[in-house]
Amino acid sequence: MRIRIPIYLLCFLYCFTWFRLPLSSLDLPVQRLVGWGMFALLIANIALRRGTLSGPSFKRYLAFSLVFMGALAVNFLSSMGYTRFFDVKLFLMDFSKYVAIFGITLTVYYALKNEWVTTDRMIHFIKRSGVLCLYITIGLLALYIIGFRSTNEIFVRPFGTAWGVWETGRFLPRLAGTTAEPQQLSIIFITPILLIMAKNKNKLSFIPLLGILVLFMSQSKFSFISIALVIFYLIIARKSFRAPVIFFLALLTPFIYQIAIKLPIMKDFLDNGMNAGAITERSDNYGILFGIIKEHPFFGIGAGQYGLYMQSLGADVPDNYYPNADLMKIFAEVGIVGFLAVIFIFAYLAVTTMRAYRVSEGEEKYTILALGIGTLAIFFNMFIGYEFLHVFVWINIGMLMYYNDKVLSSHKEEVVTNRRLALSR
């Protein structure tokens, strides 16, 4: 039972985080639906004993994932006691999302390991996803400017009646494109942009430049971190390019700053500081999340229950309200065991990626760097955003796990062979 088609399809949908089925009563992004299908195929292939499950990254990731799912099971049983706001349906909704994302990484690694898919084809579709979404985002801005409005929300999210565009009350709106909101747009293009550069001898060509412009026009404060990471990649990947990049960056920074402070959202932030709307909401959520962690550190309040907990405090929020703080939400809802399992996944990935980058060569080296920086950006965003349950980061992780094991295994064999040759002389 081959899983090539759904994996390539998911890579093509990499940047289409909003695209969903037209079901008014159910929030079901197509990405997640494909992820469930991939995981079902993975289970079927394992049951039929097709392929191998070997590899240190696979085994450790599987162990951490099982620890997390075990913590969820304990969390469910312990949270049933909080009858004042516990909802089984909300728990199962979050549970199904966790199954999808962990299953995606396992399936990507499993398929690559058994050569059912190739990294070149996966990267090809991720790049195409990025390019297509860039053009769609610019097209949505053009539609907004000429006055087109729609409330259809299957393909892109409407903000009021503006497709993929967040109105600011001024001429230049915030761009959300094919994502759920502008902050998500500020990180979604990083990996495709860097992979395009890695496959193009690390040149800053038209598409990466257009991607940087779109990141800037999202008007998300995190977009500046994203752009900084793209520049960081250039400085690392092209040593001969470091001096010109630093020179032009120093030259252009004052002009970029003058443009940035005139953007509506940036102006609001500079005028109001910590009292700006987004900052206030995040700080309030962090205060409540820390309170939950202090009160329920071991088992949390139950996956998916934060909205109901907020309602119990008198807040006017929907049942499925999600705070802009992935990692703290996991700690508050699932408890310390689930939180540490997630931290160990990223910590192990960071260590093995740095080791693999140091010993790899050529295009493979820069592909690992591109995937690593793209994943790092998403991880940083998890402190202030909600990317954990989205597909794109777990595609990155599955590919990095495969690259890391492949490179480190080859390097180990090379070291052993050289030692044997040295001893035989």
Side-chain angles (χ1 to χ4, degrees), residues 287-336:
I288 295 170
L289 289 166
F290 276 120
I292 295 172
I293 292 167
K294 185 178 179 180
E295 187 176 352
H296 307 285
F298 297 108
F299 305 116
I301 58 171
Q305 307 304 308
Y306 183 70
L308 294 182
Y309 185 89
M310 290 281 286
Q311 290 177 8
S312 74
L313 299 179
D316 183 19
V317 296
D319 292 351
N320 61 347
Y321 175 74
Y322 200 109
N324 288 351
D326 271 324
L327 298 177
M328 298 310 299
K329 177 182 182 290
I330 290 170
F331 202 156
E333 290 190 342
V334 184
I336 190 170

Side-chain angles (χ1 to χ4, degrees), residues 416-425:
V416 171
T417 301
N418 290 339
R419 285 178 179 173
R420 287 176 179 172
L421 289 173
L423 290 173
S424 64
R425 290 174 183 172

